[in-house]
Amino acid sequence: MPTEVKGALALRKALKDFAPDLAKETQKELGNLLKPITNKARGFIPSRAPLSGWNRTSETIWGTDRIWSTGKAKRGIGYKTTPSKPNKQGFRALARIANMSVAGAIYETAGRKNPNGREQAPMAMTYNNQGATGKRIRSGNKNQSNSNNPNAGNMFIEAMDQYGGIVDANNQTGAGRRSRKMKGRAIFRAWKEDGGKTNAAIIKAIENSKVKFYKEMGVK
């Protein structure tokens, strides 16, 4: 969940170089603005695994970093007030909220791209040094499901939706550029319910820091 303001990156660099105390003050103010939404988003994380078996540590299909943990999913939601790396379009976020937990991020976005789940991967023959083994497995790309259950993807999304459906936070009004990928179950739900107030407050805080900076530098 990013907030971007034209010219603000140059301001942040100038603050860091010439007014470090004001830079720290601004970052603290931005953090205080993001905390309420961060805490609210954590409250939207399910108290138990949304899918049966997701929290079983003996299961290896998810990988160790994808095993469900409510605590990790909640703690994974955090904010940053330092500029992000440029995206493909060259934009950088000044302040953002994200879920660094893999399982939490899956819960946040599952079904955002494919509302009915990923399509089933095709079957493919396996081979060894002697040639075809006669054994066939599902082999597809990352956008396809390797499950033998053709409805696995849809069942997965339905399990997530029982705890919270995908919410589109992209229709809020106010200043600031918004990402096209502003749909989710926790962070974006919290952002949607905020109604754009925090986004506007962040932009105002940055604008105020510019006024203070110019005053400190003696610029009229």
Side-chain angles (χ1 to χ4, degrees), residues 101-180:
S101 158
V102 177
I106 291 173
Y107 173 75
E108 176 79 41
T109 62
R112 185 166 70 180
K113 183 177 180 181
N114 300 301
N116 296 316
R118 295 180 299 173
E119 66 176 10
Q120 193 176 36
M123 297 295 287
M125 182 67 71
T126 60
Y127 294 84
N128 57 25
N129 293 335
Q130 284 72 45
T133 64
K135 181 180 179 181
R136 297 170 65 85
I137 62 171
R138 295 203 177 276
S139 178
N141 57 45
K142 65 180 182 179
N143 295 318
Q144 295 176 315
S145 169
N146 289 323
S147 174
N148 287 324
N149 181 352
N151 298 315
N154 188 49
M155 292 170 65
F156 181 80
I157 302 303
E158 286 183 347
M160 302 298 106
D161 287 345
Q162 287 182 359
Y163 292 87
I166 291 286
V167 173
D168 186 357
N170 204 31
N171 60 353
Q172 299 302 315
T173 60
R177 179 183 177 276
R178 294 173 178 80
S179 168
R180 295 177 181 177

